[in-house]
Amino acid sequence: MATTLNIPQNGKAVKGRTKKPLPNVDLTAMVDLAFLLITFFMLTTSLAKMKALEIAKPVESPIPSAYPQSRTMTILLGKNNQAIYYMGEAGKTEMNIINMKDIQRKIIANKQLVASTHTTALKKEMIVIIKPTNTSSYKNFVDVIDEMNISNIKSYAIDDKYISDREKAFLKEKGI
């Protein structure tokens, strides 16, 4: 062991070992490699595709289409996870308030009612009109569309423009 005399900047002599410089590692190549790998994986992986519900709405007509009332169920979406449903024409049949978690049960019950009261295969299919209101939530709308698929409803329409005065009055009266 060799000892040397180190003279610090304050001018006093200190007896001790000489300091060896620490080895330096050049990380430039490692950083370059990291960026190359990141770039490679960014370009070769597929990004997650957005899952969106495609809705094909018909061309707007100034007069709403007429549906066969004997096999048509209308669902008005309201606030606080509530909906109003009725069979037939608004004002001529009883409008019922239902919680969104129970809507599937009513859709299936009305589908079975329509199938049992009609004779031909085409007329046994129930038609559902979904009417989202300004107070309804997007989640409830998506849930009702999902219920159409779960309940195997082949004909349903989304009508956000033609809410009748009777329907508006019932919504206002019930606070939905």
Side-chain angles (χ1 to χ4, degrees):
M1 256 191 187
T3 58
T4 58
L5 185 62
N6 295 328
I7 301 174
Q9 289 181 347
N10 62 8
K12 295 183 180 177
V14 177
K15 187 175 181 183
R17 296 174 47 185
T18 58
K19 290 189 177 182
K20 294 182 182 176
L22 294 174
N24 290 334
V25 178
D26 189 13
L27 295 177
T28 307
M30 185 74 77
V31 172
D32 287 344
L33 180 64
F35 279 113
L36 283 172
L37 287 172
I38 289 171
T39 306
F40 173 76
F41 286 116
M42 284 177 51
L43 293 176
T44 57
T45 58
S46 63
L47 298 176
K49 294 188 169 62
M50 289 185 60
K51 294 179 182 178
L53 180 67
E54 290 187 27
I55 298 176
K57 291 181 77 176
V59 178
E60 289 188 34
S61 130
I63 302 168
S65 301
Y67 297 101
Q69 298 302 317
S70 63
R71 59 189 186 107
T72 302
M73 177 182 185
T74 303
I75 301 172
L76 287 149
L77 301 176
K79 62 183 176 183
N80 299 328
N81 291 328
Q82 291 183 324
I84 298 170
Y85 75 94
Y86 61 90
M87 292 295 293
E89 190 176 337
K92 293 185 180 178
T93 60
E94 180 183 0
M95 292 183 178
N96 301 299
I97 300 171
I98 191 166
N99 197 321
M100 286 301 297
K101 66 182 177 179
D102 300 325
I103 197 77
Q104 182 184 13
R105 186 173 43 87
K106 287 299 179 185
I107 291 170
I108 292 172
N110 287 332
K111 180 182 177 183
Q112 291 171 346
L113 177 70
V114 168
S116 67
T117 57
H118 291 81
T119 55
T120 63
L122 179 63
K123 291 185 178 181
K124 286 187 176 203
E125 295 293 329
M126 182 172 73
I127 300 168
V128 179
I129 301 171
I130 302 166
K131 295 185 175 184
T133 62
N134 292 338
T135 59
S136 64
S137 69
Y138 182 74
K139 179 190 179 306
N140 289 342
F141 176 72
V142 172
D143 288 346
V144 168
I145 298 294
D146 287 343
E147 292 302 333
M148 297 299 113
N149 293 328
I150 293 168
S151 303
N152 198 22
I153 303 295
K154 294 179 178 126
S155 296
Y156 61 92
I158 300 164
D159 186 4
D160 55 348
K161 299 230 184 259
Y162 303 108
I163 298 176
S164 71
D165 293 334
R166 290 180 184 152
E167 292 169 336
K168 288 178 185 176
F170 191 80
L171 284 166
K172 189 172 185 179
E173 175 187 327
K174 299 300 179 182
I176 297 176

